[in-house]
């Protein structure tokens, strides 16, 4: 009969009275737990994204029921306990404050990036290398998007109307975008 043995922990030299122990497997387990929690939040809103997004029914502890396919609403209503999952909810809120849109997309993209990082970690690539590579990729993305961008003439009223109408098309008010777009453009250009 064999008895399972816990991973060996080693005491840090010169640790004094603190008795600090180092478990070599613990960081990998923590990383995996963090990635799993974050991907869980991303997966919860992934299916609500896009024109074929499905509704979610959320029942709160006090019995209130909300049915929505809006990722921001889903993230506001769900109760998450894991610290990294909470960070994803905060990421969505920050995106809403900064841009007013893309709250679901930012969580889905971040979840996908963590999924890719998880595969790289499983191949033995060091986390620092993965992080540095993501930073280089982000810089390249900014360069490419800047090259693809089209300058906007703030005096071209028709172009601004098209931009406002497109922006409003993903919102609940999309059916009123033809009336709201001129109001938005006028409020921005008159300021």
């Amino acid at each position: 009969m064999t008895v399972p043995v816990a991973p060996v922990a080693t005491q840090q030299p010169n640790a004094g009275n603190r008795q600090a122990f180092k478990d070599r497997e613990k960081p990998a387990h923590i990383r995996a737990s963090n990635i799993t929690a974050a991907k869980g939040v991303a997966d919860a809103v992934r299916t609500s994204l896009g024109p074929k997004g499905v509704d979610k029914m959320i029942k709160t502890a006090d019995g209130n029921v909300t049915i929505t396919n809006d990722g921001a609403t889903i993230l506001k209503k769900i109760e998450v306990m894991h610290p990294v999952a909470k960070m994803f909810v905060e990421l969505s809120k920050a995106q809403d404050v900064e841009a007013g849109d893309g709250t679901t997309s930012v969580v889905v993209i971040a979840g996908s990036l963590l999924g890719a990082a998880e595969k790289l970690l499983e191949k033995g690539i060091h986390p620092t290398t993965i992080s540095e590579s993501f930073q280089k990729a982000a810089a390249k993305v900014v360069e490419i998007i800047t090259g693809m961008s089209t300058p906007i003439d703030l005096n071209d009223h028709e172009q601004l109307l098209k931009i406002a109408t497109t922006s409003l098309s993903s919102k609940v008010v999309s059916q009123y975008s033809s009336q709201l777009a001129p109001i938005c453009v006028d409020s921005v250009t008159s300021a």
Side-chain angles (χ1 to χ4, degrees):
M1 180 173 137
T2 57
V3 178
V5 179
V8 177
T10 57
Q11 187 173 3
Q12 293 286 331
N14 301 325
N17 295 334
R18 291 184 313 169
Q19 301 244 343
F21 288 88
K22 193 170 193 176
D23 181 347
R24 293 186 184 271
E25 291 184 18
K26 193 171 184 178
H29 290 300
I30 292 171
R31 216 175 354 264
S33 170
N34 290 343
I35 291 172
T36 301
K39 284 172 47 180
V41 173
D43 289 343
V45 294
R46 182 186 318 275
T47 56
S48 70
L49 192 59
K52 295 186 179 188
V54 294
D55 289 350
K56 306 280 188 214
M57 182 185 300
I58 304 161
K59 184 176 180 182
T60 59
D62 60 357
N64 290 330
V65 175
T66 303
I67 299 174
T68 183
N69 70 351
D70 177 49
T73 303
I74 294 167
L75 291 169
K76 285 177 191 170
K77 297 283 183 179
I78 61 173
E79 239 178 76
V80 292
M81 303 305 285
H82 196 282
V84 175
K86 287 180 182 180
M87 286 177 63
F88 264 47
V89 173
E90 291 302 315
L91 175 66
S92 175
K93 288 178 185 175
Q95 177 67 19
D96 191 33
V97 168
E98 187 67 29
D101 199 9
T103 53
T104 305
S105 299
V106 73
V107 171
V108 170
I109 290 169
S112 295
L113 288 171
L114 281 175
E118 183 177 40
K119 290 176 185 171
L120 295 171
L121 288 167
E122 289 169 359
K123 291 181 178 181
I125 299 173
H126 195 276
T128 304
T129 304
I130 295 169
S131 177
E132 289 171 352
S133 299
F134 277 177
Q135 290 175 3
K136 288 178 185 176
K140 188 66 175 175
V141 166
V142 169
E143 179 186 319
I144 291 169
I145 289 176
T146 302
M148 292 172 52
S149 65
T150 305
I152 299 169
D153 179 8
L154 296 178
N155 295 319
D156 186 350
H157 195 74
E158 286 303 311
Q159 185 182 26
L160 293 176
L161 281 174
K162 288 179 186 176
I163 292 167
T165 303
T166 301
S167 177
L168 291 167
S169 68
S170 70
K171 300 295 177 193
V172 175
V173 296
S174 62
Q175 59 197 10
Y176 302 107
S177 62
S178 61
Q179 290 125 347
L180 292 173
I183 295 170
C184 293
V185 171
D186 292 342
S187 68
V188 170
T189 55
S190 65

